[in-house]
């Protein structure tokens, strides 16, 4: 990681229970396209894509969503730093 750049940490946990039935445990709201062309997660990635200002982001998510994180980042051509999988949800 380059010095003098911000390393974003994106919290992408959650089960999507509040936006049911549009979101659900397998595909919570942050990974759903709610009609804007990108998901909320992808919109967040686009905010930190400038490599002059930001290092690749670190993503914190549920282990069951790690593949969705990778797939959605790849669809935008955005390099990720690390994916940290939370061992258990804690309603934070």
């Amino acid at each position: 990681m380059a010095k003098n750049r911000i390393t974003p940490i994106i919290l992408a946990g959650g089960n999507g229970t509040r936006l049911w039935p549009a979101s659900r445990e397998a595909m919570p709201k942050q990974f759903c396209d709610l009609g804007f062309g990108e998901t909320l997660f992808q919109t967040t990635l686009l905010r930190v894509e400038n490599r002059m200002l930001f290092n690749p982001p670190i993503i914190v998510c549920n282990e069951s969503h790690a593949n969705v994180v990778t797939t959605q980042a790849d669809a935008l051509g955005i390099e990720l730093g690390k994916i940290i999988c939370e061992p258990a949800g804690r309603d934070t």
Side-chain angles (χ1 to χ4, degrees):
M1 290 187 213
K3 293 181 180 184
N4 300 323
R5 289 191 218 162
I6 297 169
T7 301
I9 299 175
I10 299 173
L11 305 177
N15 289 325
T17 57
R18 291 185 197 99
L19 204 60
W20 186 89
S23 69
R24 54 216 175 276
E25 193 171 326
M27 187 66 70
K29 64 183 168 289
Q30 63 269 28
F31 302 120
C32 293
D33 182 352
L34 301 175
F36 302 108
E38 287 100 16
T39 67
L40 297 172
F41 174 69
Q42 289 175 314
T43 301
T44 303
L45 289 177
L46 290 170
R47 287 187 199 119
V48 297
E49 73 175 327
N50 183 338
R51 290 298 162 249
M52 298 294 287
L53 300 174
F54 301 103
N55 287 314
I58 296 170
I59 313 300
V60 180
C61 66
N62 187 296
E63 186 174 15
S64 64
H65 302 134
N67 287 335
V68 176
V69 165
T70 303
T71 300
Q72 291 195 4
D74 288 348
L76 297 174
I78 293 179
E79 174 191 0
L80 298 178
K82 295 181 180 182
I83 298 174
I84 299 173
C85 295
E86 54 188 5
R90 297 286 184 220
D91 293 330
T92 56

